[in-house]
Short mmCIF file of all heavy atoms in Angstrom, two decimals:
data_model
loop_
_atom_site.label_atom_id
_atom_site.label_comp_id
_atom_site.label_asym_id
_atom_site.label_seq_id
_atom_site.Cartn_x
_atom_site.Cartn_y
_atom_site.Cartn_z
N MET B 11 -6.40 -18.51 -0.22
CA MET B 11 -5.53 -19.68 -0.41
C MET B 11 -5.25 -20.30 0.95
O MET B 11 -5.12 -19.60 1.96
CB MET B 11 -4.20 -19.26 -1.02
CG MET B 11 -4.26 -18.77 -2.44
SD MET B 11 -4.18 -20.11 -3.61
CE MET B 11 -2.46 -20.62 -3.43
N PHE B 12 -5.09 -21.64 0.95
CA PHE B 12 -4.66 -22.35 2.13
C PHE B 12 -3.32 -23.02 1.81
O PHE B 12 -3.11 -23.50 0.69
CB PHE B 12 -5.67 -23.43 2.55
CG PHE B 12 -6.95 -22.87 3.11
CD1 PHE B 12 -8.02 -22.61 2.28
CD2 PHE B 12 -7.07 -22.61 4.48
CE1 PHE B 12 -9.19 -22.11 2.78
CE2 PHE B 12 -8.25 -22.09 4.98
CZ PHE B 12 -9.33 -21.85 4.14
N VAL B 13 -2.46 -23.08 2.80
CA VAL B 13 -1.20 -23.79 2.62
C VAL B 13 -0.81 -24.46 3.95
O VAL B 13 -1.08 -23.91 5.04
CB VAL B 13 -0.07 -22.85 2.14
CG1 VAL B 13 0.27 -21.79 3.17
CG2 VAL B 13 1.18 -23.64 1.77
N GLN B 14 -0.23 -25.61 3.84
CA GLN B 14 0.22 -26.32 5.03
C GLN B 14 1.52 -25.66 5.51
O GLN B 14 2.37 -25.25 4.69
CB GLN B 14 0.50 -27.79 4.68
CG GLN B 14 0.44 -28.75 5.83
CD GLN B 14 -1.01 -29.06 6.21
OE1 GLN B 14 -1.88 -29.18 5.37
NE2 GLN B 14 -1.23 -29.19 7.51
N GLU B 15 1.66 -25.57 6.81
CA GLU B 15 2.91 -25.06 7.38
C GLU B 15 4.10 -25.80 6.81
O GLU B 15 4.03 -27.02 6.59
CB GLU B 15 2.85 -25.23 8.92
CG GLU B 15 3.84 -24.42 9.69
CD GLU B 15 3.68 -24.61 11.20
OE1 GLU B 15 2.84 -25.45 11.60
OE2 GLU B 15 4.39 -23.95 11.95
N LYS B 16 5.17 -25.06 6.53
CA LYS B 16 6.43 -25.56 5.98
C LYS B 16 6.39 -25.85 4.47
O LYS B 16 7.44 -26.15 3.89
CB LYS B 16 6.94 -26.80 6.73
CG LYS B 16 7.21 -26.54 8.21
CD LYS B 16 7.67 -27.78 8.92
CE LYS B 16 7.77 -27.51 10.43
NZ LYS B 16 8.05 -28.72 11.20
N GLU B 17 5.22 -25.75 3.88
CA GLU B 17 5.13 -25.92 2.42
C GLU B 17 5.33 -24.58 1.73
O GLU B 17 5.24 -23.51 2.34
CB GLU B 17 3.75 -26.48 2.05
CG GLU B 17 3.45 -27.86 2.63
CD GLU B 17 4.30 -28.92 1.97
OE1 GLU B 17 4.36 -28.97 0.73
OE2 GLU B 17 4.92 -29.71 2.72
N ALA B 18 5.59 -24.65 0.42
CA ALA B 18 5.70 -23.44 -0.40
C ALA B 18 4.34 -23.10 -1.00
O ALA B 18 3.51 -24.00 -1.20
CB ALA B 18 6.73 -23.64 -1.49
N VAL B 19 4.12 -21.83 -1.27
CA VAL B 19 2.86 -21.40 -1.87
C VAL B 19 3.14 -20.30 -2.89
O VAL B 19 4.08 -19.51 -2.70
CB VAL B 19 1.88 -20.92 -0.79
CG1 VAL B 19 2.39 -19.69 -0.05
CG2 VAL B 19 0.49 -20.63 -1.37
N ARG B 63 12.64 -15.63 2.42
CA ARG B 63 11.72 -16.70 1.98
C ARG B 63 10.82 -16.28 0.83
O ARG B 63 10.01 -17.08 0.34
CB ARG B 63 10.88 -17.16 3.17
CG ARG B 63 11.67 -17.85 4.29
CD ARG B 63 10.75 -18.44 5.34
NE ARG B 63 9.93 -17.42 6.00
CZ ARG B 63 8.62 -17.31 5.88
NH1 ARG B 63 7.95 -18.14 5.09
NH2 ARG B 63 7.97 -16.36 6.52
N ILE B 79 6.23 -17.95 -1.64
CA ILE B 79 6.66 -17.98 -0.24
C ILE B 79 7.10 -19.41 0.05
O ILE B 79 6.32 -20.35 -0.09
CB ILE B 79 5.52 -17.59 0.72
CG1 ILE B 79 4.94 -16.22 0.33
CG2 ILE B 79 6.03 -17.53 2.17
CD1 ILE B 79 3.71 -15.82 1.16
N SER B 80 8.35 -19.55 0.45
CA SER B 80 8.85 -20.91 0.75
C SER B 80 8.73 -21.15 2.25
O SER B 80 8.69 -20.22 3.06
CB SER B 80 10.30 -21.03 0.31
OG SER B 80 11.10 -20.13 1.04
N ALA B 81 8.63 -22.42 2.62
CA ALA B 81 8.60 -22.83 4.02
C ALA B 81 7.62 -21.98 4.83
O ALA B 81 8.02 -21.27 5.78
CB ALA B 81 10.02 -22.76 4.62
N SER B 82 6.34 -22.04 4.47
CA SER B 82 5.33 -21.19 5.10
C SER B 82 5.33 -21.33 6.62
O SER B 82 5.52 -22.43 7.17
CB SER B 82 3.95 -21.56 4.56
OG SER B 82 3.86 -21.31 3.20
N GLN B 83 5.06 -20.20 7.26
CA GLN B 83 4.97 -20.16 8.72
C GLN B 83 3.60 -19.64 9.11
O GLN B 83 2.93 -18.97 8.32
CB GLN B 83 6.05 -19.22 9.30
CG GLN B 83 7.46 -19.64 8.93
CD GLN B 83 8.50 -18.59 9.31
OE1 GLN B 83 8.17 -17.51 9.81
NE2 GLN B 83 9.76 -18.90 9.06
N LEU B 84 3.16 -19.94 10.33
CA LEU B 84 1.86 -19.51 10.79
C LEU B 84 1.72 -17.99 10.69
O LEU B 84 0.65 -17.45 10.39
CB LEU B 84 1.59 -19.99 12.22
CG LEU B 84 1.49 -21.49 12.39
CD1 LEU B 84 1.32 -21.84 13.86
CD2 LEU B 84 0.36 -22.09 11.57
N GLY B 85 2.81 -17.30 10.92
CA GLY B 85 2.80 -15.83 10.86
C GLY B 85 2.65 -15.28 9.46
O GLY B 85 2.50 -14.07 9.27
N ASP B 86 2.68 -16.16 8.46
CA ASP B 86 2.47 -15.71 7.08
C ASP B 86 0.99 -15.53 6.77
O ASP B 86 0.63 -14.99 5.71
CB ASP B 86 3.08 -16.72 6.10
CG ASP B 86 4.59 -16.79 6.16
OD1 ASP B 86 5.21 -15.79 6.58
OD2 ASP B 86 5.14 -17.86 5.83
N SER B 87 0.12 -15.99 7.66
CA SER B 87 -1.31 -15.82 7.44
C SER B 87 -1.64 -14.33 7.41
O SER B 87 -1.40 -13.61 8.38
CB SER B 87 -2.11 -16.50 8.54
OG SER B 87 -1.95 -17.90 8.50
N LEU B 111 -4.21 -15.36 2.51
CA LEU B 111 -3.49 -16.61 2.72
C LEU B 111 -3.68 -17.09 4.14
O LEU B 111 -3.50 -16.31 5.08
CB LEU B 111 -2.00 -16.44 2.43
CG LEU B 111 -1.12 -17.66 2.68
CD1 LEU B 111 -1.45 -18.76 1.68
CD2 LEU B 111 0.35 -17.30 2.63
N GLN B 112 -4.04 -18.35 4.28
CA GLN B 112 -4.13 -18.95 5.62
C GLN B 112 -3.20 -20.15 5.68
O GLN B 112 -3.27 -21.04 4.83
CB GLN B 112 -5.57 -19.36 5.93
CG GLN B 112 -6.50 -18.16 6.01
CD GLN B 112 -7.89 -18.54 6.45
OE1 GLN B 112 -8.10 -18.96 7.57
NE2 GLN B 112 -8.86 -18.34 5.57
N VAL B 113 -2.32 -20.14 6.68
CA VAL B 113 -1.36 -21.22 6.87
C VAL B 113 -1.92 -22.16 7.92
O VAL B 113 -2.27 -21.73 9.03
CB VAL B 113 0.01 -20.67 7.30
CG1 VAL B 113 1.00 -21.81 7.49
CG2 VAL B 113 0.51 -19.68 6.26
N ILE B 114 -2.01 -23.44 7.56
CA ILE B 114 -2.60 -24.43 8.45
C ILE B 114 -1.49 -25.20 9.17
O ILE B 114 -0.54 -25.65 8.55
CB ILE B 114 -3.45 -25.43 7.63
CG1 ILE B 114 -4.46 -24.67 6.78
CG2 ILE B 114 -4.16 -26.43 8.52
CD1 ILE B 114 -5.03 -25.53 5.68
N PRO B 115 -1.62 -25.35 10.50
CA PRO B 115 -0.57 -26.08 11.24
C PRO B 115 -0.50 -27.55 10.83
O PRO B 115 -1.51 -28.12 10.40
CB PRO B 115 -0.99 -25.95 12.71
CG PRO B 115 -2.13 -25.01 12.75
CD PRO B 115 -2.67 -24.82 11.37
#
Side-chain angles (χ1 to χ4, degrees):
Chain B
M11 291 275 289
F12 290 91
V13 64
Q14 204 77 38
E15 197 178 4
K16 299 179 187 172
E17 297 290 311
V19 63
R63 293 188 299 112
I79 305 174
S80 63
S82 297
Q83 301 171 357
L84 295 176
D86 293 334
S87 294
L111 177 67
Q112 295 186 65
V113 180
I114 306 164

